Amino acid sequence: MSPTMVMTVETRKEDDELESQYQKGVKHLSDNGIERLPNKYILPVSERPNLLLIKELAYACKHSNLTLPVIDFAELQGPNRSQALDSLANACEHYGFFQEFRQQIMPVVLVLMISHGVFWLHDDEVLWLVGSISLLSCLDWVSYGGCSVGWIMLHNLGGSKVWGTLDILVAQVCWVEGLPCCVERHAELHQVRWLVLHQKWKLSCHWCDEVPQMHHNWNAVTVLVEIDSNINWVSQYISTCCWKLAVTYANENKYLFLKLMEAIEESLGLTTTTTKNKKTDDSDGDGDGDGDDILEELKDGSQLMVVNCYPPCPEPHLTLGMPPHSDYGFLTLLLQDEVPGLQIQFQQKWLTIEPIPNSFVVNVGDHLEIFSNGRYKSVLHRAIVNPTKSRISVASLHSVPLKTILRPSPKLITKANPRRYMDTDFATFLKYVSSCEPKTKNFLDSRKLNG
Ligand SMILES: O=C(O)CCC(=O)C(=O)O
Ligand SMILES: [Fe+2]
């Protein structure tokens, strides 16, 4: 939490019992029927959602909603591709967001992801985190909901063992509980690596390549990483079925992301439908490899999946589920249940996105804005919470491998549109976000050239 936030919080009479409960998380508070928010969750007046009366929340969606451009995945793959590409370009330029539907992920997988999100988050025994060694090797700070929720300290990254600690109980100021899961892909090995975190011992996690099984002798304060070990974990709670569901979802999500990026490249004029399957043809000899290089990078890129749960909130007009932010990657594919909550900033107003069943809300992230040299916009968005309903969303953030240097595509730099962003990479992003107060965090602005 930023110090400014502490100072500007509206003062209310302290209820020690209430205040002391905040650390148990918002699900606990909601389940216990609290009627007032602990001060910790109350935002300064200027940062609150504009819901003066709780009952106005019900109308917020109806009266300030936004119908996002809809991109039909089937059209993108069919004879109407060029019209679909025009709509895609328009959506990314003017909204930074679109709803994507008729994609090919089985509805049952989507429904199960949403319902299991609750299970994963709220089962007393199990909380899991999926991660990548390369992510962790440069990640010593974990951001969640715009505030720091934990520190991962990795002391020894050589060899196959890594020891560290993870403290997930640092201040939470938003009305959300969440679970970050990272996926690292090794295309050549057909392998995906996972990091698992067990809630019972909040400071323990374990790497594995296979479906995890519970290990009974964890040391409560250390992280043990043994990539090739065969430690026998057995969990009643993370059933093979759940795990496979998460893997299936992550893989399908990645496939959809790559298809969308193929279309986005084409919409930017970097490739054409006829050349898109060919190996990069750098026929202009400028050495930039044009658009196809980025697709190759993205195939092996990073993927972060975050399950967000927003329980019913007694005073939704005083807080937010997630503060305004932009996403760091190329695209975020957001799966949400039927409860509205996502708001995007459009023409200086916060507008609520009406959920469409079995579809994804897709948004342009900072990396795509940089890659497109500012043509496609990474737009601020936030989540509001609901007085009566719980809401779940699953965000999948995709980008290039963490060590890749990102820069505007040379083809998109012209005299009329000179280069707008400096080179950057993921480590620079982490350094930036961990070095300043949440209020002043705007990574994209820090990468802009000429002011
Ligand atoms: O839950 C939502 O609607 C927003 C989630 C989000 O923006 C994120 O996870 O980055
Ligand atoms: Fe986001």
Side-chain angles (χ1 to χ4, degrees):
M1 177 193 267
S2 76
T4 37
M5 193 180 290
V6 179
M7 287 186 299
T8 48
V9 154
E10 184 185 90
T11 0
R12 300 213 291 197
K13 199 168 159 293
E14 295 263 321
D15 171 344
D16 287 347
E17 206 188 311
L18 182 66
E19 297 305 321
S20 67
Q21 283 191 43
Y22 89 90
Q23 271 208 333
K24 294 188 179 155
V26 297
K27 176 73 169 49
H28 171 89
L29 294 171
S30 180
D31 286 349
N32 281 282
I34 55 152
E35 289 171 4
R36 301 197 300 122
L37 283 187
N39 280 331
K40 194 104 182 158
Y41 295 99
I42 300 177
L43 291 169
V45 176
S46 61
E47 292 171 29
R48 293 177 193 168
N50 194 12
L51 307 166
L52 297 177
L53 298 168
I54 292 178
K55 65 179 179 195
E56 282 181 26
L57 184 65
Y59 300 110
C61 305
K62 293 215 160 43
H63 293 256
S64 67
N65 64 352
L66 175 69
T67 313
L68 286 180
V70 172
I71 304 299
D72 182 337
F73 189 76
E75 296 264 299
L76 261 186
Q77 306 305 308
N80 292 335
R81 183 169 172 94
S82 73
Q83 285 100 310
L85 289 176
D86 288 346
S87 314
L88 185 63
N90 178 53
C92 294
E93 272 178 43
H94 298 111
Y95 298 82
F97 269 80
F98 57 91
Q99 298 253 27
E100 187 291 321
F101 91 123
R102 286 221 278 169
Q103 41 69 32
Q104 293 152 351
I105 304 182
M106 283 186 302
V108 67
V109 172
L110 303 181
V111 170
L112 285 174
M113 268 312 283
I114 289 287
S115 57
H116 282 69
V118 188
F119 168 81
W120 285 329
L121 282 170
H122 298 135
D123 188 283
D124 274 351
E125 292 287 315
V126 176
L127 177 63
W128 55 266
L129 176 72
V130 187
S132 80
I133 196 91
S134 61
L135 175 69
L136 292 180
S137 63
C138 62
L139 180 71
D140 62 359
W141 188 85
V142 178
S143 161
Y144 184 68
C147 59
S148 164
V149 294
W151 295 87
I152 295 178
M153 289 169 289
L154 295 176
H155 306 300
N156 170 14
L157 283 161
S160 62
K161 278 192 178 169
V162 178
W163 295 84
T165 60
L166 174 66
D167 171 6
I168 208 148
L169 281 178
V170 184
Q172 269 191 327
V173 293
C174 288
W175 195 261
V176 62
E177 272 182 31
L179 178 60
C181 328
C182 311
V183 180
E184 181 188 53
R185 285 160 196 284
H186 300 275
E188 69 288 0
L189 302 173
H190 302 287
Q191 214 179 36
V192 178
R193 284 202 171 121
W194 311 92
L195 180 69
V196 184
L197 172 75
H198 193 283
Q199 192 181 28
K200 193 163 176 183
W201 303 286
K202 286 213 155 87
L203 305 177
S204 303
C205 38
H206 188 91
W207 283 101
C208 57
D209 292 334
E210 312 248 319
V211 173
Q213 297 178 316
M214 186 81 73
H215 182 247
H216 292 287
N217 297 317
W218 285 354
N219 177 329
V221 290
T222 55
V223 177
L224 171 62
V225 178
E226 286 188 344
I227 290 167
D228 297 317
S229 78
N230 245 338
I231 291 180
N232 188 27
W233 298 28
V234 183
S235 169
Q236 323 262 335
Y237 298 92
I238 311 176
S239 65
T240 306
C241 167
C242 266
W243 195 254
K244 284 193 172 151
L245 168 67
V247 175
T248 306
Y249 178 78
N251 287 337
E252 299 272 310
N253 201 287
K254 176 80 175 194
Y255 174 82
L256 177 57
F257 162 71
L258 290 174
K259 284 286 169 200
L260 289 172
M261 277 308 303
E262 215 174 80
I264 280 178
E265 276 204 299
E266 203 174 329
S267 74
L268 285 167
L270 298 174
T271 54
T272 64
T273 310
T274 46
T275 61
K276 78 178 157 55
N277 290 326
K278 282 199 226 148
K279 182 117 186 68
T280 304
D281 168 20
D282 190 17
S283 52
D284 55 3
D286 61 4
D288 60 47
D290 305 338
D292 279 353
D293 274 356
I294 201 77
L295 266 189
E296 286 305 312
E297 295 268 359
L298 290 169
K299 276 183 195 155
D300 275 341
S302 65
Q303 181 175 353
L304 171 73
M305 193 161 90
V306 188
V307 182
N308 305 302
C309 177
Y310 310 93
C313 174
E315 296 180 297
H317 54 302
L318 299 181
T319 192
L320 282 169
M322 204 172 281
H325 66 283
S326 62
D327 294 339
Y328 72 86
F330 268 72
L331 290 180
T332 300
L333 275 57
L334 185 83
L335 180 67
Q336 51 178 342
D337 64 14
E338 74 293 343
V339 179
L342 174 64
Q343 292 193 316
I344 74 168
Q345 203 172 53
F346 184 69
Q347 297 173 349
Q348 263 83 52
K349 285 200 189 114
W350 286 106
L351 299 176
T352 308
I353 306 300
E354 204 63 59
I356 302 180
N358 296 332
S359 78
F360 284 91
V361 173
V362 182
N363 64 288
V364 173
D366 295 352
H367 291 172
L368 179 52
E369 179 167 327
I370 292 172
F371 178 74
S372 71
N373 200 28
R375 184 163 152 203
Y376 289 173
K377 300 286 184 297
S378 174
V379 164
L380 282 181
H381 52 286
R382 68 182 191 184
I384 54 171
V385 288
N386 194 289
T388 53
K389 291 181 182 162
S390 186
R391 171 169 182 263
I392 286 269
S393 72
V394 184
S396 298
L397 286 74
H398 298 269
S399 192
V400 287
L402 300 161
K403 293 201 167 91
T404 299
I405 306 285
L406 264 165
R407 55 176 63 102
S409 167
K411 284 258 152 110
L412 301 173
I413 299 173
T414 59
K415 266 207 179 112
N417 189 24
R419 182 175 177 155
R420 293 182 184 205
Y421 303 90
M422 61 183 90
D423 286 3
T424 193
D425 62 6
F426 194 71
T428 315
F429 168 72
L430 290 173
K431 230 181 256 162
Y432 184 85
V433 288
S434 56
S435 67
C436 41
E437 282 299 311
K439 294 273 182 95
T440 56
K441 271 176 203 164
N442 189 336
F443 179 64
L444 204 50
D445 281 348
S446 80
R447 300 289 90 195
K448 280 184 181 152
L449 291 166
N450 310 321

